[in-house]
Amino acid sequence: MAENIGTIFQWLIFLGMAFISVLASFMVITRKNPIHSALFLVLTFLCVAVLYLLLYSQFIAIIQVVVYAGAIVMLIVFVIMLLDLENELRSRLKIVYSKVIGGFLAVLFLFGILYSVVAKSPTGKMEGCRRSAFYSISFSFRDHIRPSRCGHHRSGHIKQEKDIRRVLCGSFQPFPLPYI
Amino acid sequence: MLSGVLFTIGVIGALTRRNAIVVFMCIELMLNAVNLTFVTFSHFLQSLDGVLFAFFVMAVAAAEAAVGLAIFVVIYRSRETINLDEINILKW
């Protein structure tokens, strides 16, 4: 029950952060004032830092906040301050033919990415690799759930250790280079 | 999936905006999406390689930001603009 609530809570946090980050990144590319874009960029970076925390990688999350939200956006804001862009602000955000073509290509690119995530491979050579990825995903879920379920059960501990060792030292190979 | 969407928004921004600083921010957005993919896969594959690579990507992005913004300042001082349509001296 407890870990169920925890999982639901994690999903809620993930969905909220995903929604906010997509919204903020959309605002980054649609605002006309570069300062507003920079502030929405900070919001996006903070949301991605929370997503890193959800993935149990605290170090990367801290580095994300310090380096991106602290250093890079500060540099960007300073440069915006140094170059006064008033005439660029006065010029309209006009729709040009090339922009429409660029946006269309980018949306096509998005569909390519989604297809590569969802689709089955035509040759079937990818299958083993994909199955092993799912394998380790299911193992990681079991590793998260098991310690609370079989608390002080001795054989459960031994089995869990075996599972972890199989995941860590097993003959699992990452994506082979040619597929990339 | 989410990082794919973020990456695509970055690509749209880089292709459609004409202000060099906004294009730069979109590049940072794309780097961030790739970092998210790295960390997610390293979590699900129980390997530390992705986190290590994400760390290097962050270091490279920070250095690139410093150099690129310095280049923008120099271009602005010599050209009085950072509109990418008017900086076409390298165009064929």
Side-chain angles (χ1 to χ4, degrees):
Chain A
M1 189 63 191
E3 69 258 21
N4 218 351
I5 290 178
T7 312
I8 291 173
F9 198 61
Q10 276 187 354
W11 263 105
L12 280 182
I13 293 178
F14 172 75
L15 286 181
M17 284 304 137
F19 184 70
I20 293 175
S21 62
V22 168
L23 206 69
S25 59
F26 191 71
M27 296 294 264
V28 168
I29 67 170
T30 50
R31 294 300 95 186
K32 215 166 70 175
N33 195 338
I35 292 275
H36 296 166
S37 292
L39 294 182
F40 278 114
L41 197 67
V42 173
L43 183 57
T44 311
F45 287 162
L46 291 182
C47 289
V48 174
V50 173
L51 290 181
Y52 288 152
L53 279 183
L54 280 183
L55 292 172
Y56 300 103
S57 51
Q58 295 91 356
F59 179 68
I60 289 289
I62 296 291
I63 292 292
Q64 164 94 5
V65 172
V66 170
V67 171
Y68 274 106
I72 290 182
V73 179
M74 191 206 67
L75 274 179
I76 287 176
V77 171
F78 262 97
V79 169
I80 293 171
M81 181 191 74
L82 283 179
L83 328 170
D84 50 341
L85 299 173
E86 287 181 5
N87 48 354
E88 312 240 346
L89 280 186
R90 250 180 265 126
S91 70
R92 303 288 303 165
L93 195 71
K94 48 186 179 297
I95 303 293
V96 192
Y97 200 57
S98 65
K99 288 187 183 179
V100 178
I101 293 178
F104 177 70
L105 282 181
V107 172
L108 213 65
F109 188 69
L110 170 67
F111 281 122
I113 292 178
L114 294 186
Y115 181 73
S116 69
V117 168
V118 176
K120 279 174 71 174
S121 75
T123 60
K125 274 181 130 181
M126 195 79 176
E127 272 316 301
C129 163
R130 179 175 304 225
R131 199 184 317 136
S132 56
F134 279 135
Y135 201 55
S136 84
I137 286 172
S138 65
F139 263 122
S140 70
F141 279 148
R142 278 169 63 183
D143 289 344
H144 281 314
I145 290 172
R146 183 160 291 158
S148 55
R149 196 169 63 195
C150 58
H152 41 271
H153 203 243
R154 180 89 183 132
S155 66
H157 268 300
I158 292 174
K159 207 174 165 201
Q160 177 193 0
E161 275 179 17
K162 250 185 210 165
D163 279 348
I164 292 176
R165 196 171 304 134
R166 243 163 85 196
V167 168
L168 287 182
C169 317
S171 64
F172 165 70
Q173 52 183 0
F175 298 110
L177 211 58
Y179 298 139
I180 302 174
Chain B
M1 203 79 92
L2 168 70
S3 75
V5 173
L6 277 186
F7 189 86
T8 307
I9 289 176
V11 172
I12 292 173
L15 285 181
T16 54
R17 290 304 295 271
R18 291 293 94 186
N19 189 345
I21 292 181
V22 179
V23 172
F24 201 76
M25 286 188 230
C26 292
I27 290 174
E28 299 290 333
L29 207 60
M30 287 192 274
L31 284 171
N32 217 335
V34 173
N35 263 349
L36 185 59
T37 315
F38 271 130
V39 174
T40 309
F41 269 103
S42 81
H43 179 244
F44 280 139
L45 303 183
Q46 306 224 326
S47 151
L48 214 56
D49 301 347
V51 175
L52 196 65
F53 210 90
F55 189 64
F56 274 102
V57 169
M58 277 185 185
V60 170
E64 180 221 334
V67 176
L69 290 171
I71 288 175
F72 287 160
V73 172
V74 174
I75 284 178
Y76 185 76
R77 284 171 61 173
S78 69
R79 290 293 187 92
E80 296 289 324
T81 180
I82 55 167
N83 192 335
L84 287 184
D85 283 332
E86 298 169 21
I87 307 171
N88 51 9
I89 193 169
L90 276 181
K91 231 179 199 174
W92 188 49

